[in-house]
Every structure is written in C-alpha cells, then in structure tokens.
Amino acid sequence: MKVTLKRSDGHTYHQILNKNSATIGRAKRCDVVFNDEALSRQHCLVEHIDGVFYVKDLNSANGVYLDGERIPSHLRLSLTGHKLLSLGVIDCFLEQTPPPAEVRTPTRLIELESHPLELDSVTRKKIKQKTKYRKIAPEEEKNHEHSAEKNILLFLGIGIAIILAAIYL
C-alpha cells in the first residue's frame, strides 16, 4: 500500500508499506510517521481489504474527514465513492501497490573451512568428517569469509590465553 500525505503548504510525504493495514500519526510506533502538529500521536488506521480501502479515526483531536465531513471515531468506513480523505488539515491519498516480487538469488554449496593449523592425520580426518555444508548466496560469500577469519582469530586467541594461563599458574 502506498500512503501519500500532503500539507496545505505543499510539503508531501510518501511511504510504501508491504502490508494491508497501517496506523498513521506522529508517534514512532505508527506505521506511517508524519511529524505535524495537525496529526495526533495515533491519528487513524487505514486498511485495504478485498480491493477496498477503509479508514478508522483513532480518537484523533483534529479528526478524519471524507469529502469534508468528519467521520465518527472508532467507526470503520469505506473510501469507495469518496473523493478526498483528510486527516485534520492534511490530505491523504492511498494507493494499492503490487506485492513485492520474490527475489531469488542463486546459491551454491561451499565447504565451511576447518582449522588451518597443522594437524595430525587422525584429527584432520575427524574434522573433515564433521565439516558441515550449507547453502550460501554469492553476496554472502565475502561475509562468510570474514566471519571464518574472525572465528580463526578468536580460536587462536583463546588457545594462546589457555597456554599462557597454564604457564603462569
């Protein structure tokens, strides 16, 4: 759903939401936040159900208007047949947007790296048997390489700490 709010001075705000209902107001907990004193913290709820937009005033101070007439609080009304939705002195335009297309990135199997230190053949065989595989997208590959390097450094640091503790204790 696309929500457009327009003040009388021409300032316009657009927001696209990936859901069919949204609260509009000044509060940060609202889905659409528009910092204007004409709006209440939680001004109204807009919904898109079965191809029809609905609006409900959430007890706002300046009200919700359809074609210039204030609608009663907590009454959900259809916008069908109405030309203008106003939140106090702010005009509101609603538009249904198509759902976002599912983005599929190609994946490939990679082997998670085992410990790079020199290991005897028995330990190396055990590690290889326990090596896991998982799917990873190409853009994640660099992050994976960095995280493997961090894990190795962490492992080495812990090993050094254990050795130093054994020597000095």
Side-chain angles (χ1 to χ4, degrees), residues 69-126:
E69 291 186 39
R70 188 172 185 156
I71 65 171
S73 292
H74 295 294
L75 182 64
R76 185 175 83 171
L77 292 177
S78 166
L79 300 183
T80 304
H82 296 280
K83 296 179 182 175
L84 182 61
L85 169 64
S86 300
L87 312 178
V89 295
I90 298 170
D91 293 335
C92 180
F93 305 94
L94 304 172
E95 179 182 337
Q96 182 57 31
T97 57
E102 184 180 328
V103 177
R104 301 188 77 177
T105 56
T107 58
R108 64 184 179 91
L109 291 176
I110 65 163
E111 181 177 334
L112 298 178
E113 296 176 12
S114 58
H115 197 280
L117 296 176
E118 216 31 56
L119 303 171
D120 63 352
S121 61
V122 175
T123 307
R124 191 177 301 124
K125 188 174 184 179
K126 286 180 183 177

Side-chain angles (χ1 to χ4, degrees), residues 15-32:
Q15 185 170 344
I16 296 177
L17 303 164
N18 290 327
K19 56 189 197 173
N20 289 326
S21 68
T23 54
I24 300 174
R26 289 190 338 256
K28 292 185 183 196
R29 67 180 173 265
C30 291
D31 299 303
V32 179

